[in-house]
Amino acid sequence: RLAAIDALGKTTRSTAVLDSLARSLATQDSPMVQATLVDYLADAHDRQAVGALRQLAQVPDLNPAVLERTRSALRQLSQ
C-alpha cells in the first residue's frame, strides 16, 4: 500500500486520485499508511481532504504520531 501511494504521488495530482486517497483514510488501519496518506494530501494542498482529515483526527485511539501529522496537515490546508 505504501508503494502504491508513493507511485501515485510521483505520477499524478488528479482530483480523482486525491479524492480516492482521502476517502481511503477512513478504511486504513496501519498508522504508517495513514501517515503517508495524510502527508500526501497535505503536500498536494488538497483542501477537499479537510473533511476526511477532520474525521481521522477524531478516531478514538488514533496513533499519536498520526494524530499530530493530521493536525499539522489541517493547519497547513487552512492557511
Side-chain angles (χ1 to χ4, degrees), residues 36-71:
T36 301
L37 285 169
V38 168
D39 290 346
Y40 178 77
L41 294 168
D43 290 346
H45 305 289
D46 183 16
R47 291 201 165 117
Q48 300 294 339
V50 167
L53 291 168
R54 284 184 179 146
Q55 185 178 5
L56 180 64
Q58 296 190 11
V59 169
D61 301 322
L62 184 63
N63 178 288
V66 174
L67 179 58
E68 183 52 39
R69 280 178 129 132
T70 303
R71 288 177 177 163

